[in-house]
């Protein structure tokens, strides 16, 4: 995410929070942290993305054994 911000000319937190790609950058940060968490535990990450034909999506599905957890990642403070 740091390289992406640098390439887009984002130099500080204030610029980031008003940038059009803020949500996407935040989502990428969270996904990368989930991958690192798995790798640091010595596990193979079982993280997935889902989108159906009508455009409904889930940002991250975490598989743990027979359990699936759907995670919606939002950078904003409100849920809609």
């Amino acid at each position: 995410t740091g390289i992406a911000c640098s390439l887009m000319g984002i130099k500080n937190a204030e610029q980031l929070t008003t940038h059009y790609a803020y949500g996407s950058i935040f989502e990428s940060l969270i996904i990368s942290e989930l991958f690192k968490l798995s790798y640091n535990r010595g596990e193979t990450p079982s993280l997935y993305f889902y989108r159906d034909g009508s455009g409904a999506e889930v940002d991250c599905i975490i598989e743990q054994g027979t359990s699936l957890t759907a995670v919606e990642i939002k950078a904003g403070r409100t849920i809609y």
Side-chain angles (χ1 to χ4, degrees):
T1 54
I3 293 171
C5 287
S6 179
L7 291 171
M8 290 187 276
I10 300 169
K11 304 207 182 299
N12 57 51
E14 185 178 315
Q15 287 179 327
L16 175 61
T17 58
T18 59
H19 197 276
Y20 73 91
Y22 177 50
S24 299
I25 293 168
F26 182 75
E27 187 175 314
S28 294
L29 172 69
I30 299 303
I31 297 295
S32 68
E33 290 299 314
L34 289 170
F35 269 97
K36 287 193 295 186
L37 178 65
S38 292
Y39 285 126
N40 287 331
R41 290 179 173 171
E43 302 168 355
T44 301
S46 294
L47 307 174
Y48 306 95
F49 170 80
Y50 175 80
R51 179 180 294 148
D52 68 15
S54 65
E57 67 178 43
V58 177
D59 294 328
C60 184
I61 298 173
I62 303 170
E63 180 183 16
Q64 295 174 307
T66 60
S67 173
L68 297 176
T69 303
V71 179
E72 184 64 23
I73 302 166
K74 293 291 177 204
R77 293 178 183 227
T78 58
I79 299 173
Y80 53 95

